[in-house]
Amino acid sequence: MKKTLIFTFILFLSTILFSQTLESVCSSLAEHPNTTGDFIQTKTILTNGRKLKSNGKFILSTLGILWQTEKPFPSSLILTEDSMIQIAANGNKSVMSGKDNQIFANISDTLRSVFNGDAEKLQENFKCDFSNDKDGLWKVELTPKDSTIAAVMSTLILSGNYKGADGSDKILEATLNSLEMIEASGNTITYEFSNQKYPKELSADEKQIFVIE
């Protein structure tokens, strides 16, 4: 009985510490309403190991998310709260509403939770396996609880750097350096981020990107 109580206490304490640490990372990420930078995307095909690479620029903001691919072919993917917009190299634009697409709605909501640093939402929709080390690296592995999301991706892994508060376990100044999505098919898509900047306001042209016409 005594061993059971000790084990239960340790498990309870570990849960509290885990939650606080994940919350610290999310709170730090959420301090930046806008993040811009460069990305390298690598898609690995499970069946033959082929790697498809592209690169470009991104914007993460409260208005939405922009992936602006520059190479090998220019294109843009824009995610807002209600819509997904794809712009091809020839300028053709296609708009998908999330109202009638449950998969889109869930994936879009997940991305907003990730980049807005909403720890509570992440824990509601995912099983979260968080870790950090003394070298200033953190990682969280998200396994979807919702079968609709799981039908598209099996795991989402986020990682980055952090600075800790002196004399405290609290994480400060966390940055997101990479995102890896393992699809239900087994294919993986990895984003590596660099040159991150945190403008307080987006430019007028950047804001216009998220206006649906």
Side-chain angles (χ1 to χ4, degrees):
M1 181 66 178
K2 185 176 180 180
K3 290 183 178 179
T4 301
L5 289 174
I6 292 174
F7 175 77
T8 302
F9 173 74
I10 293 174
L11 181 62
F12 174 71
L13 182 60
S14 298
T15 301
I16 292 176
L17 292 175
F18 159 78
S19 178
Q20 289 176 340
T21 308
L22 178 60
E23 185 68 41
S24 294
V25 168
C26 290
S27 296
S28 178
L29 292 175
E31 287 179 1
H32 306 297
N34 305 298
T35 303
T36 66
D38 302 324
F39 73 84
I40 297 175
Q41 181 199 64
T42 304
K43 181 166 185 175
T44 304
I45 309 300
L46 176 65
T47 54
N48 56 20
R50 184 183 179 190
K51 294 183 183 293
L52 306 173
K53 288 195 173 186
S54 61
N55 63 72
K57 299 184 181 299
F58 70 88
I59 297 176
L60 311 175
S61 80
T62 54
L63 297 176
I65 301 170
L66 167 69
W67 303 111
Q68 185 175 356
T69 301
E70 297 177 337
K71 295 179 180 180
F73 305 105
S75 65
S76 296
L77 174 64
I78 303 162
L79 297 172
T80 68
E81 185 173 355
D82 300 314
S83 303
M84 179 174 74
I85 305 97
Q86 290 180 299
I87 303 175
N90 60 8
N92 288 343
K93 179 188 293 187
S94 61
V95 180
M96 177 188 297
S97 172
K99 295 180 180 179
D100 301 318
N101 189 316
Q102 190 61 44
I103 292 178
F104 164 79
N106 284 332
I107 294 298
S108 181
D109 187 54
T110 299
L111 289 172
R112 286 197 306 274
S113 298
V114 168
F115 295 120
N116 289 338
D118 191 341
E120 184 176 348
K121 192 71 173 181
L122 290 178
Q123 291 175 318
E124 178 183 333
N125 293 326
F126 295 90
K127 175 185 175 182
C128 303
D129 184 9
F130 181 89
S131 64
N132 64 294
D133 60 31
K134 295 181 179 180
D135 294 326
L137 301 176
W138 65 268
K139 181 174 75 171
V140 60
E141 184 173 316
L142 307 174
T143 304
K145 298 177 181 179
D146 187 283
S147 58
T148 306
I149 301 177
V152 179
M153 65 177 178
S154 61
T155 311
L156 189 66
I157 303 172
L158 312 175
S159 61
N161 297 94
Y162 73 90
K163 293 181 180 179
D166 293 338
S168 170
D169 291 331
K170 185 176 181 179
I171 287 177
L172 302 174
E173 297 183 46
T175 60
L176 178 64
N177 294 342
S178 69
L179 180 156
E180 179 181 9
M181 182 172 71
I182 303 175
E183 298 178 331
S185 64
N187 297 336
T188 63
I189 300 176
T190 302
Y191 287 90
E192 298 175 72
F193 305 116
S194 61
N195 301 321
Q196 292 98 323
K197 296 180 181 179
Y198 309 102
K200 292 183 179 181
E201 290 284 343
L202 296 180
S203 69
D205 288 342
E206 289 171 333
K207 290 179 180 179
Q208 188 63 32
I209 291 172
F210 302 102
V211 176
I212 310 303
E213 299 177 350

